Amino acid sequence: MTTPAPADSSAAALPPVVAIAHHSGFGHTSVLAEAVREGAADTGATVHLVKVDEITEEQWALLDTADAIVFGSPTYMGTASGAFHVFAEATSKRWATRAWQDKLAAGFTNSGSKSGDKLHTLQFFSVLAAQHGMHWINLGLPSGWHSTTASENDLNRLGFYLGAGAQTDTDRGPDGVHKADIATAEHLGWRVAVQAAVYAAGRAAVAA
């Protein structure tokens, strides 16, 4: 069993690095990825957007050095897209060396239906993270839009807890992504970056 070396005590003073590894078939998931980026960047984190269907060796290196990786994909036929699955299988090289051990992970997805089996995609992301020995960060929000006084504009309006779920009408382009879902994705990015900073500070404190 390999135990990662403790972080240097100076690491706590550095902003965390968050990478968003995502695929977008028609642009809707890219809108969410940008929202996750904005939420994380608002905390002062350094954020990298990585399109997994165009990933380069330099971007693999960015993932390897990130404190947290957020996975994103549309939900197609009850799971992540084929392009994301190709990326997931390619991460086996990192699995073999435990390169992502103890990083933080989170996920987001979009589909045309209110449910659309998005939960299965988020579960796929969480199992992928677990195989790498990563720590999963959930959405951290109560469900919205579940009473007569609630609104479709509530954060987490679709009631997902494992990650951020979005619904976009199938006959609308990327500009049709619901504003509440965009805000929910921003919250996810913020939460991941905050937890990454806390985690780095804790490791630095233990090492001190």
Side-chain angles (χ1 to χ4, degrees):
M1 177 175 166
T2 302
T3 302
D8 185 89
S9 59
S10 62
L14 299 175
V17 177
V18 177
I20 304 166
H22 69 289
H23 172 249
S24 186
F26 299 97
H28 307 91
T29 311
S30 287
V31 171
L32 298 173
E34 180 60 30
V36 173
R37 186 201 68 78
E38 290 183 9
D42 281 348
T43 72
T46 299
V47 190
H48 301 292
L49 285 171
V50 176
K51 295 182 178 180
V52 299
D53 54 333
E54 302 174 2
I55 192 167
T56 64
E57 286 302 319
E58 291 76 13
Q59 289 174 323
W60 277 114
L62 287 176
L63 297 181
D64 292 343
T65 57
D67 297 295
I69 302 175
V70 185
F71 301 125
S73 167
T75 294
Y76 293 152
M77 303 306 294
T79 188
S81 65
F84 193 93
H85 275 269
V86 169
F87 161 77
E89 290 189 20
T91 68
S92 62
K93 293 181 180 179
R94 272 70 190 171
W95 173 86
T97 62
R98 310 313 292 165
W100 294 358
Q101 183 84 22
D102 288 331
K103 293 183 185 295
L104 304 187
F108 61 95
T109 187
N110 176 83
S111 72
S113 299
K114 295 295 190 293
S115 173
D117 290 322
K118 285 187 278 281
L119 177 60
H120 185 259
T121 300
L122 295 173
Q123 289 172 329
F124 168 71
F125 291 156
S126 67
V127 171
L128 175 64
Q131 292 228 335
H132 282 283
M134 303 169 79
H135 302 291
W136 186 259
I137 304 299
N138 58 47
L139 185 59
L141 284 174
S143 60
W145 200 20
H146 56 29
S147 71
T148 57
T149 59
S151 164
E152 68 172 293
N153 296 312
D154 292 343
L155 286 176
N156 196 21
R157 69 189 181 107
L158 300 178
F160 287 90
Y161 294 90
L162 195 60
Q167 180 271 332
T168 309
D169 294 335
T170 57
D171 56 353
R172 301 190 69 182
D175 60 343
V177 179
H178 201 289
K179 293 188 183 303
D181 296 340
I182 293 173
T184 301
E186 288 180 358
H187 172 85
L188 178 67
W190 172 86
R191 177 167 165 80
V192 168
V194 167
Q195 294 303 310
V198 169
Y199 191 75
R203 291 188 68 173
V206 169

